[in-house]
Amino acid sequence: MTAEDVTPGMPAAYGVEAHRTLFAEWQARVAHELDLRLPGPETAPGRLHAAQRYSVLGPGKRVRPLLVYATGKALGVPENQLDAAACAIELIHAYSLVHDDLPAMDDDDLRRGRPTCHIQFDEATAILAGDALQVLAFQILARDPAAPADPSQRLKLIEILADASGTAGMAGGQALDLAAEGRKLTVAEVEDMHSRKTGALIRASVMMASHCATIPDATRSCLDLFATKIGLAFQIQDDLLDIEGDPKVLGKAVGADKEHEKPTYPATVGVAAARARLLELHAEALAALAPLGGPAATLAALSDWLVARRS
Ligand code: GRG
């Protein structure tokens, strides 16, 4: 994370400063944990393993693992008890990007400043790499020594991640997104699509970490509300960046949503109203966190970054 990563002058940007070092440590931590768990290119099928590693270990922001660690910090969970959840959620995210970039979906050539997986390798390898990354996420939750020792906690993490990835979550949201191209949606329909496509994994990051702790239901409900709001805000910022972002900072082309005639949030309500909704959701997310007090300061700072980010 660099100073370039936040929108200058945006009030929300300032909470990030004090936490930059910690966020960078967590980004490095999850990259290391992922590296340990991904199969090596020297093991057959080497090309598939190379494609998996290329897609996961590239320069991503690691937003979802950061949410896992920051939620764990708010609840007093040691980092080593969060590594399995952090890796699993990032693997699902990486798989979704590989498949989303395929010609049959968004047909993108550039991701994280590098050729997309199917360009670097080939389409069949990219499909298989995505499939294998998805499976690896659940293998980690099922049997990794760093996953919770209590089988019922482990099962809960698997359930949360499966629900967030399936038709009620990301895959369903992606289907709605593809079907919506060239159509006009209501604001409620756009919010539903965004909440599933992107919000579901953001929420799962927070909820998985919450199930690595034993906490009152009321605390978990506050986190659930926080995560739901910040997940939708994250996607609205993504929509805005596709209009106003700098391709050099983003590491991908802008304007793709317009080109695909996607009914994004700004396309539906206008840029100014989209920005207002983003700030409203951010304020609501912070209000939901308030009952957790000081220990949630890092999580609050992270949400500042998610709405002020430029990449
Ligand atoms: C293929 C089942 C399936 C789902 C794809 C996630 C997704 C659904 C599509 C990605 C398209 C997209 C750009 C969505 C906007 C929000 C989003 C997920 C942005 C990328 O996430 P970041 O910003 O990426 O966390 P990095 O590269 O930093 O990890």
Side-chain angles (χ1 to χ4, degrees):
M1 190 187 304
T2 67
E4 273 203 324
D5 286 344
V6 288
T7 311
M10 190 149 166
Y14 300 122
V16 182
E17 292 304 324
H19 294 84
R20 268 187 203 287
T21 308
L22 180 57
F23 291 160
E25 278 169 21
W26 283 342
Q27 286 167 325
R29 180 181 183 100
V30 74
H32 174 70
E33 296 295 326
L34 285 162
D35 186 28
L36 293 176
R37 288 165 174 83
L38 282 160
E42 67 289 347
T43 313
R47 186 173 168 81
L48 175 59
H49 293 164
Q52 288 178 253
R53 299 180 72 83
Y54 176 84
S55 305
V56 175
L57 299 176
K61 296 184 292 298
R62 316 292 180 210
V63 164
R64 295 148 196 83
L66 289 178
L67 281 164
V68 172
Y69 291 122
T71 304
K73 183 171 159 63
L75 302 175
V77 184
E79 287 167 1
N80 62 1
Q81 292 177 25
L82 298 160
D83 289 334
C87 288
I89 197 88
E90 186 67 6
L91 289 167
I92 294 286
H93 168 61
Y95 123 70
S96 79
L97 297 182
V98 171
H99 281 194
D100 182 70
D101 290 334
L102 286 166
M105 296 218 198
D106 274 4
D107 194 10
D108 283 314
D109 291 353
L110 202 61
R111 167 77 61 189
R112 296 173 168 173
R114 308 184 310 168
T116 46
C117 185
H118 66 277
I119 298 287
Q120 182 73 12
F121 295 86
D122 56 77
E123 262 185 63
T125 303
I127 292 169
L128 289 172
D131 291 343
L133 292 173
Q134 177 170 207
V135 171
L136 182 58
F138 290 103
Q139 286 170 329
I140 288 172
L141 293 181
R143 61 168 182 239
D144 194 282
D150 177 353
S152 66
Q153 258 179 319
R154 228 173 241 251
L155 196 56
K156 192 72 200 170
L157 299 196
I158 291 171
E159 184 188 1
I160 292 170
L161 192 59
D163 285 346
S165 307
T167 57
M170 188 177 68
Q174 178 77 345
L176 293 173
D177 182 284
L178 293 171
E181 287 183 10
R183 287 178 48 219
K184 196 143 182 60
L185 299 187
T186 64
V187 175
E189 285 172 326
V190 176
E191 291 206 356
D192 178 51
M193 180 177 78
H194 280 10
S195 297
R196 291 177 193 230
K197 187 178 93 166
T198 315
L201 280 201
I202 299 278
R203 176 177 174 271
S205 310
V206 172
M207 298 315 282
M208 285 166 82
S210 86
H211 280 278
C212 293
T214 305
I215 53 170
D217 287 348
T219 306
R220 191 164 283 123
S221 298
C222 292
L223 285 167
D224 196 349
L225 186 59
F226 160 78
T228 303
K229 301 279 181 190
I230 211 66
L232 181 54
F234 181 83
Q235 179 58 56
I236 294 177
Q237 176 64 355
D238 208 76
D239 289 351
L240 287 166
L241 286 172
D242 193 64
I243 296 171
E244 304 173 323
D246 177 348
K248 281 203 238 45
V249 180
L250 278 171
K252 61 176 184 179
V254 295
D257 292 339
K258 194 163 180 213
E259 191 185 317
H260 289 279
E261 295 180 63
K262 291 204 182 215
T264 63
Y265 212 91
T268 305
V269 301
V271 168
R275 195 169 294 113
R277 180 70 176 134
L278 171 74
L279 294 176
E280 180 183 59
L281 286 162
H282 178 240
E284 289 171 358
L286 292 182
L289 268 193
L292 278 79
T298 306
L299 195 49
L302 182 54
S303 67
D304 290 349
W305 177 49
L306 297 187
V307 299
R309 72 196 170 93
R310 297 179 64 225
S311 70

